[in-house]
Amino acid sequence: MTFVAAAEAPQRNTGQIKLYDQEAAFAGMRKAGQVSAACLDMLVGEVREGVTTGRIDDLAREFVLDHGALPACVGYRGYRHTVCTSLNHTVCHGIPGDRVLRSGDILNIDVTVIVDGWHGDTSRMYGVGDVPRKARRLMDITYEAMMRGLAAIKPGATLGDLGHAIQSYAEGERCSVVREFCGHGLGRVFHDAPNILHFGKPGQGEILKPGMMFTVEPMLNLGSPAVKVLGDGWTAVTKDKSLSAQYEHSIGVTESGIEIFTKSPGGLDQPHALLPG
Ligand code: MF3
Ligand code: CO
Ligand code: CO
C-alpha cells in the first residue's frame, strides 16, 4: 500500500493512504468530531424506557442540522437515517424505527456528520434501566479494548500492533472480535483506505505515519464472532444471538501518538458506565 499527500489526491478512495496536514486538516476534523461527539452527549438524557429508536434518530438529525453539520449517512448507499441504532445482539448498522426501548436493553448509537467537508464518526454504548451484569461487563471490555487499540497508535507502530492490542485484550476477557466490519480512513472521504482491522499480529501490516486519520471501532461479542446481515441489507446481528457492543472514535496520528477528534465535550465518553448500581 502506498501513501499520498491528501492535498494532491483525488477526493475518493484510491486505495492509497492519505497523509493530511496536521494544522488545517486536523482543525477541520476537530470541528466535525466535536459536533458528532456533542450529538452523542445530547442523547445521553434521551435514551430511556419508552423512547423509540426512530425518536433518537429524529433528535440526532435536528441536533446535527442545528449545529451547521450534515448527516453523512443520509443517502449513503441508500441509507436514510442520521444514526445507526444497534440493540442487544445487533452488531452494527441497526436501522432506527418504531422499536421501543425497554429496561435491560443495551444500545449502540453511531453518528457521522460532515462539517465543511470533514467527517466526524463516533459511537458509544447506552444502557436502558436495569442492565444485566454480563451486558455491562461486555460494554466495559469493549470500551477498554478501543482505548487499548488507540494507545497502540504512534508513528512507527503498525496496524497489526493496533489490532493485536484489541484482540489480545478482548479474547483474554473471553469476548470475541467481529471480523466482517472494520475501522476506516476518513477525512473528506467517509470510508477511505486503509481498513483498520480490530485483530492482528504485532509488527504486521502498514506502518503508521503522522498525518494519517482513521477510525477505531471494535465490535465485541459475548459468544461467537460470527455475524449475519438481515434481509433489510443493513442490520448485522450475531449468528448465535449473543450480545454485541461497539465503541468508535475518529483520530489523527501525531508525531507522538494521536489526537482524538471525537472526545466527548461533556465527559460522557462512556454513557453505559453512568448506569446506577
Ligand atoms: N458510522 C458507520 C461507521 O462507523 C457507518 C454507517 S453507514 C450507514 O463506519 F449508512 F449505515 F449509516
Ligand atoms: Co460510525
Ligand atoms: Co466508522
Side-chain angles (χ1 to χ4, degrees):
M1 202 170 256
T2 57
F3 292 85
V4 60
E8 283 148 33
Q11 278 183 35
R12 58 186 166 79
N13 186 344
T14 61
Q16 294 171 300
I17 298 175
K18 295 182 182 71
L19 295 178
Y20 291 86
D21 180 83
Q22 286 179 62
E23 298 287 329
F26 278 35
M29 290 297 283
R30 205 172 290 139
K31 220 166 140 187
Q34 286 301 294
V35 174
S36 61
C39 178
L40 294 186
D41 279 11
M42 177 276 296
L43 291 171
V44 168
E46 305 292 340
V47 176
R48 48 179 193 268
E49 280 184 78
V51 173
T52 65
T53 53
R55 168 77 180 149
I56 288 165
D57 187 64
D58 288 339
L59 290 167
R61 186 181 57 253
E62 284 167 25
F63 184 93
V64 168
L65 294 174
D66 281 351
H67 287 76
L70 291 171
C73 295
V74 176
Y76 180 81
R77 296 179 181 234
Y79 196 76
R80 301 165 57 87
H81 305 272
T82 298
V83 294
C84 297
T85 49
S86 302
L87 267 164
N88 301 327
H89 75 295
T90 303
V91 172
C92 63
H93 301 164
I95 301 174
D98 52 18
R99 165 68 151 81
V100 175
L101 297 179
R102 301 190 281 260
S103 180
D105 283 338
I106 63 169
L107 176 68
N108 175 277
I109 305 177
D110 188 342
V111 66
T112 309
V113 309
I114 307 173
V115 179
D116 302 332
W118 299 104
H119 288 79
D121 184 7
T122 183
S123 83
R124 302 179 198 157
M125 295 302 297
Y126 300 72
V128 182
D130 204 4
V131 173
R133 184 175 297 277
K134 63 170 188 178
R136 293 168 184 238
R137 181 176 168 274
L138 173 65
M139 295 189 285
D140 287 344
I141 292 164
T142 305
Y143 183 78
E144 175 66 15
M146 174 183 70
M147 295 311 286
R148 288 189 182 214
L150 293 175
I153 302 170
K154 60 177 184 231
T158 70
L159 284 178
D161 295 340
L162 191 178
H164 180 75
I166 293 170
Q167 180 184 15
S168 59
Y169 171 71
E171 292 179 354
E173 297 291 338
R174 303 182 314 282
C175 294
S176 64
V177 178
V178 169
R179 304 294 203 269
E180 284 84 349
F181 299 96
C182 54
H184 47 92
L186 91 167
R188 292 196 180 276
V189 178
F190 187 178
H191 289 117
D192 208 347
N195 286 333
I196 307 297
L197 306 182
H198 303 111
F199 55 95
K201 294 201 167 59
Q204 293 196 349
E206 213 58 57
I207 297 176
L208 300 171
K209 296 193 186 196
M212 287 176 72
M213 308 197 301
F214 55 86
T215 71
V216 175
E217 47 180 304
M219 285 140 274
L220 269 54
N221 302 343
L222 277 184
S224 126
V227 308
K228 64 175 181 187
V229 176
L230 300 185
D232 60 24
W234 285 104
T235 313
V237 299
T238 55
K239 269 192 184 160
D240 63 5
K241 296 203 166 62
S242 68
L243 287 177
S244 188
Q246 178 177 29
Y247 269 91
E248 175 176 23
H249 270 316
S250 299
I251 65 101
V253 181
T254 64
E255 305 302 328
S256 58
I258 60 170
E259 173 175 345
I260 302 178
F261 299 130
T262 47
K263 221 176 155 33
S264 162
L268 300 169
D269 282 303
Q270 302 176 72
H272 84 266
L274 302 172
L275 294 168

